[in-house]
Amino acid sequence: MLHSYLSSLLTVTAITNVGSSPIKAYHNPIIPGFHPDPSCILVKEWDDTFFCATSSFNAFPGVPIFASNDLINFKQIGNVITRPTQLPGLAHTESSGSGIWAPSIRFHNGTFWVITTMVYDHLPPDDTSRWDNIIFKTINPYTEWSDPIHFTFTGYDTSLYWEADGKSYVQGSHFWQVRPMIQGFEINLATGAMGPIKDLWTGTGGLAPEAPHLLFKDGFYYLIIAEGGTGLNHMVTIARSHSMWGPFESNPANPVLTNANTSQYFQTVGHADLFEDTNNNWWSVALSTRSGPDYVYFPMGRETVLTPVTWETGEWPIFTPVRELEQGPLPNVNQNIPGTGISVGTSSEYISFEPGSTLPDHFVHNRFPDPNAYVISPSGHPYTLRLTPSKLNLTALEGRLAATPQTFVGRRQQHVEFTLEATLRFEPKQDEEEAGLTVFLNQAQHFDISLVALSPQSAVRAGYTGEPLSGNNGLDRYIRLRTISVNSTDLGAKDKVSRPAIIPFPLGRQQNQVKLQIQAVNNTWYAFRYSTDDEFVTVGWGVSSEVSGGYTGTILGMFATGNGIQGKDHAYFSNFSYVGNPNVF
């Protein structure tokens, strides 16, 4: 289901002007790509800036922080988790559903706070060691964040709230099969010491009450939560009470926000946060997938959407349904956000790996990297990124964990249609040593195009059926597309849905240098190509349904591996470029 900007103009949702801001159109998502479980605040003390945080799961650096002055133009200004010492357990997670879940960002008395949960998703839900709840802080969100304070709440989706007397409180949820209940308790933010845990609200009866946030307005404590699970039945519900501890009265209009049981392109709407702008207009951010009700092709996963909220004094908040094109009383356009990062959703990016530069803040690894495996502009190879092949490939041993670091770095896919290109110089001298580009959802779902050295026996195992080649030391070089998915066999050489392939790398040309390209030609197909001159040759195709699903979204990046043997031959990448189509979303 492909939506263009022009077609969406026909489905504008009209709302009443609130405050003094003029009504302006915008389109969702406001933070595209793998950015689920959003939490946002307005900080007037920081030049009326909005700050947002989203989940990162196994991605490192983790918990990206975004800033905006107008709610439309966001810039990633950094990450909360930038040092392995902050969260050593991230190195040992055992599934793509593990890692950082649902950060909540708040500001109080000059300090920024992020509270979140490190989840070991392979452990049973009733195992207390599955849930590691943590709090980070900083006085400047453009710099580094603290080491975490841990507290022993056996649950997830925690959020912070302060009373007028300065006391701090946490609201959190539990895995629904263990206890479907939102709870709250007082907390000492300096030590993690907790007061008595109290039941707050079970929700309206939907599956998995979670993602609570507590707000106080007009004499009421409002508790906003998610229900229905983070799939097609996802929804936002709300209750209120004159006491923080309840009893909470459910809004008769619940659910207040959902696209369940509709034909809308934006589905799975839920996990919302509420905040006010400088003109006293209310807004909500939530997660959503661009999947339509078929829920098949959505490789970017759960993204961040914005919708206006009308909230009259003493009344329940009224949410505007999430659509791809909306309008609301947005602040004036202001793109003057500090920092060197690019604007979120920028349609083109070119990285030259200039000497003295570092990897951008929005580039991520799968868990902690080996820092020695990544060198920008090494001696004799200026304007390149040198990767040292890791022993483990992107799947690793069983598609769930990685005992040692994988050499992989990339950026999130943020457009339905895009073209990714990079030039690779690589002289592999051992069997199965390879380097290339990937569309990576998780260790069990990824598409990899590479230059690889293979012995005749390895080439046959990789699906090569042509005449044997003569190469250096019994090895020959191939361009290979592997599609690792639930439908693939033979280590990605065969696939019932996608079209993997392996072809000899052309002889008589620059055998050590190749340009690789991945193109999302629509919301269904990825094309994988290579070039040794000015013409690209299509190697094979990947279907986006095979890299859709779960909690995360696709990362487009560079990798190098010895496929079970520690690699010795460096791969040099240059001219990394990403060009997205901003008119198709």
Side-chain angles (χ1 to χ4, degrees):
M1 187 176 186
L2 205 57
H3 283 227
S4 71
Y5 182 82
L6 292 177
S7 66
S8 296
L9 287 173
L10 302 176
T11 60
V12 177
T13 303
I15 66 169
T16 304
N17 194 356
V18 182
S20 60
S21 300
I23 299 297
K24 288 177 281 189
Y26 66 94
H27 72 75
N28 279 312
I30 57 164
I31 305 180
F34 159 37
H35 292 299
D37 310 322
S39 176
C40 296
I41 53 170
L42 168 67
V43 183
K44 295 181 180 180
E45 295 89 335
W46 280 73
D47 194 27
D48 293 335
T49 300
F50 301 93
F51 294 92
C52 300
T54 61
S55 294
S56 52
F57 293 87
N58 287 325
F60 177 83
V63 190
I65 300 296
F66 304 91
S68 174
N69 288 124
D70 57 15
L71 286 177
I72 298 303
N73 296 290
F74 281 87
K75 179 185 288 186
Q76 185 174 342
I77 61 170
N79 300 276
V80 174
I81 302 171
T82 57
R83 307 180 302 277
T85 54
Q86 287 174 290
L87 210 58
L90 189 63
H92 309 296
T93 57
E94 292 190 25
S95 77
S96 63
S98 294
I100 293 296
W101 286 20
S104 175
I105 186 170
R106 295 293 184 259
F107 180 79
H108 182 71
N109 284 350
T111 299
F112 290 84
W113 301 85
V114 163
I115 184 171
T116 187
T117 311
M118 173 70 192
V119 180
Y120 298 91
D121 199 39
H122 67 287
L123 296 176
D126 60 351
D127 187 332
T128 57
S129 58
R130 173 188 172 103
W131 317 101
D132 183 10
N133 280 282
I134 45 182
I135 303 169
F136 301 89
K137 67 179 181 178
T138 185
I139 59 173
N140 183 350
Y142 295 89
T143 60
E144 290 197 338
W145 291 67
S146 69
D147 289 336
I149 296 294
H150 298 256
F151 61 99
T152 55
F153 178 67
T154 307
Y156 63 101
D157 284 6
T158 47
S159 182
L160 278 171
Y161 173 78
W162 286 266
E163 277 283 64
D165 62 5
K167 291 183 178 180
S168 49
Y169 299 86
V170 170
Q171 301 77 46
S173 52
H174 295 276
F175 195 79
W176 66 274
Q177 290 175 315
V178 175
R179 189 152 191 248
M181 173 65 72
I182 304 300
Q183 294 186 311
F185 50 90
E186 186 178 351
I187 191 168
N188 183 323
L189 294 176
T191 65
M194 299 162 50
I197 299 175
K198 300 180 181 181
D199 292 348
L200 300 181
W201 190 39
T202 59
T204 64
L207 183 73
E210 58 189 8
H213 294 295
L214 190 69
L215 300 91
F216 185 78
K217 184 179 185 293
D218 306 327
F220 287 99
Y221 293 88
Y222 287 85
L223 186 60
I224 180 173
I225 72 169
E227 297 185 55
T230 192
L232 291 176
N233 294 319
H234 211 193
M235 57 184 172
V236 178
T237 58
I238 194 168
R240 68 183 182 183
S241 172
H242 287 293
S243 167
M244 182 193 305
W245 307 114
F248 280 89
E249 169 199 2
S250 178
N251 185 348
N254 279 326
V256 292
L257 183 65
T258 186
N259 275 357
N261 303 308
T262 72
S263 60
Q264 292 299 321
Y265 180 45
F266 280 72
Q267 290 287 327
T268 72
V269 176
H271 200 115
D273 200 359
L274 271 169
F275 58 95
E276 208 171 2
D277 67 19
T278 54
N279 292 314
N280 305 119
N281 301 309
W282 284 88
W283 298 88
S284 178
V285 286
L287 69 80
S288 182
T289 52
R290 287 184 269 181
S291 65
D294 292 339
Y295 203 50
V296 175
Y297 306 103
F298 53 103
M300 288 175 284
R302 304 175 304 159
E303 307 174 274
T304 294
V305 296
L306 174 75
T307 198
V309 177
T310 302
W311 202 347
E312 302 294 344
T313 302
E315 302 297 327
W316 294 99
I318 300 173
F319 293 68
T320 302
V322 169
R323 301 292 184 263
E324 56 262 43
L325 189 68
E326 295 199 38
Q327 57 180 6
L330 291 167
N332 293 328
V333 174
N334 182 347
Q335 300 186 47
N336 296 323
I337 297 295
T340 59
I342 65 171
S343 296
V344 172
T346 296
S347 58
S348 62
E349 178 181 31
Y350 175 79
I351 300 178
S352 63
F353 304 113
E354 181 179 352
S357 65
T358 59
L359 291 173
D361 283 339
H362 63 284
F363 270 45
V364 293
H365 309 271
N366 190 43
R367 304 185 187 87
F368 300 134
D370 173 2
N372 296 319
Y374 307 82
V375 180
I376 293 178
S377 287
S379 178
H381 297 271
Y383 298 96
T384 67
L385 172 64
R386 189 185 76 189
L387 299 186
T388 300
S390 55
K391 179 179 180 179
L392 295 180
N393 59 24
L394 293 178
T395 304
L397 298 180
E398 56 182 23
R400 291 179 58 85
L401 53 84
T404 55
Q406 299 156 300
T407 300
F408 160 63
V409 65
R411 50 154 296 158
R412 291 161 171 87
Q413 177 183 344
Q414 294 188 318
H415 296 81
V416 172
E417 297 179 359
F418 71 86
T419 301
L420 180 82
E421 292 182 1
T423 299
L424 168 65
R425 186 171 183 83
F426 186 42
E427 300 181 46
K429 300 180 182 68
Q430 60 187 42
D431 194 17
E432 288 282 4
E433 198 171 38
E434 72 173 325
L437 300 180
T438 181
V439 177
F440 181 89
L441 180 70
N442 57 55
Q443 289 174 228
Q445 296 173 269
H446 53 93
F447 302 149
D448 314 324
I449 184 170
S450 68
L451 174 60
V452 58
L454 298 172
S455 67
Q457 296 83 1
S458 294
V460 171
R461 287 195 298 269
Y464 180 67
T465 58
E467 292 294 323
L469 305 176
S470 58
N472 182 30
N473 297 324
L475 299 178
D476 293 296
R477 293 173 187 167
Y478 299 82
I479 299 294
R480 176 169 65 179
L481 170 63
R482 292 207 283 193
T483 59
I484 305 297
S485 75
V486 68
N487 299 305
S488 66
T489 58
D490 296 356
L491 301 177
K494 297 179 181 178
D495 197 305
K496 296 177 182 178
V497 178
S498 293
R499 302 174 189 172
I502 181 169
I503 60 176
F505 190 55
L507 301 176
R509 300 186 181 180
Q510 290 179 291
Q511 289 180 261
N512 302 324
Q513 183 165 306
V514 61
K515 181 180 286 187
L516 299 175
Q517 180 190 86
I518 302 173
Q519 184 178 40
V521 297
N522 52 38
N523 71 328
T524 305
W525 288 98
Y526 295 99
F528 295 85
R529 304 185 177 107
Y530 81 97
S531 173
T532 55
D533 45 36
D534 295 329
E535 297 290 330
F536 275 100
V537 177
T538 299
V539 179
W541 300 82
V543 178
S544 67
S545 61
E546 293 195 312
V547 286
S548 298
Y551 295 149
T552 63
T554 45
I555 298 170
L556 312 172
M558 301 160 281
F559 74 95
T561 177
N563 283 296
I565 300 175
Q566 182 62 53
K568 299 178 181 178
D569 303 304
H570 298 306
Y572 298 88
F573 288 87
S574 59
N575 302 314
F576 182 93
S577 69
Y578 172 93
V579 178
N581 185 344
N583 298 316
V584 176
F585 58 95

